[in-house]
Amino acid sequence: IYAGDYTARNDITYNGQPLNFDEWPLDNRNIGGGINLNYTLANGLTLTSITSYESYDRFQPKESDAQPLLFLDLYFASKIRAYAQEFRLASDAEGDFSWIVGAHYTSESIDEDPPRVLFVDNFLVNRAQVIYKQDLNQVAGFAHADWKFAEDW
């Protein structure tokens, strides 16, 4: 099996420098975490806060076709950030009637820069580049209720 032959690509730059896979090897970094807090209020109510954050930076050359020609060779350079916050208020679930209400917020940013490049030079004499930035902000509310109206149900 061919393991890949990443050579200098002087016609493509990364942060103003010629891209050379020998000098810019695989470098993926991820960090994230979450916090779940519950606070008991009066009358059996519970307030819950769930917070999370993820950060992912990727620089990854990829030899996709396992052969020595420059075909289906890619590199990825992605920056992804995601944040989420949820608040919930819930009643005590021990009685015949229980409920929960809440709100959720999500913010995400995905940036592909420098462009993702698909090399197909040896067969198609062409390259495909993908440059994009995607931002998402989402807000949602929810509510749920349970009523145990009969023992047999």
Side-chain angles (χ1 to χ4, degrees):
I1 294 179
Y2 182 69
D5 182 18
Y6 299 114
T7 58
R9 302 297 311 170
N10 294 325
D11 54 343
I12 297 174
T13 61
Y14 178 68
N15 288 337
Q17 300 296 319
L19 178 66
N20 184 330
F21 288 127
D22 294 328
E23 295 174 12
W24 298 93
L26 172 68
D27 185 11
N28 295 340
R29 298 168 191 215
N30 184 47
I31 188 168
I35 297 172
N36 186 340
L37 301 173
N38 291 294
Y39 184 72
T40 303
L41 304 170
N43 300 322
L45 297 177
T46 302
L47 178 64
T48 301
S49 171
I50 302 171
T51 307
S52 67
Y53 177 78
E54 292 288 331
S55 172
Y56 179 58
D57 294 322
R58 172 169 99 164
F59 187 84
Q60 180 175 348
K62 184 176 181 188
E63 166 43 70
S64 298
D65 57 0
Q67 52 94 10
L69 298 175
L70 190 57
F71 185 68
L72 297 181
D73 296 1
L74 298 103
Y75 77 85
F76 303 89
S78 310
K79 292 181 188 237
I80 301 171
R81 304 292 181 266
Y83 166 78
Q85 177 64 57
E86 181 171 308
F87 292 107
R88 293 190 304 233
L89 183 62
S91 69
D92 185 353
E94 297 299 319
D96 289 338
F97 183 75
S98 61
W99 53 266
I100 184 170
V101 295
H104 183 89
Y105 171 75
T106 299
S107 176
E108 297 177 357
S109 175
I110 302 171
D111 194 6
E112 189 77 21
D113 184 32
R116 181 182 311 168
V117 177
L118 167 63
F119 298 101
V120 289
D121 293 21
N122 288 125
F123 289 100
L124 302 177
V125 192
N126 198 353
R127 295 180 189 166
Q129 293 190 0
V130 177
I131 303 169
Y132 66 88
K133 181 170 177 76
Q134 174 181 313
D135 292 314
L136 167 75
N137 290 296
Q138 177 180 333
V139 177
F142 55 91
H144 177 79
D146 278 324
W147 176 34
K148 300 174 189 171
F149 60 91
E151 184 73 29
D152 293 339
W153 290 75

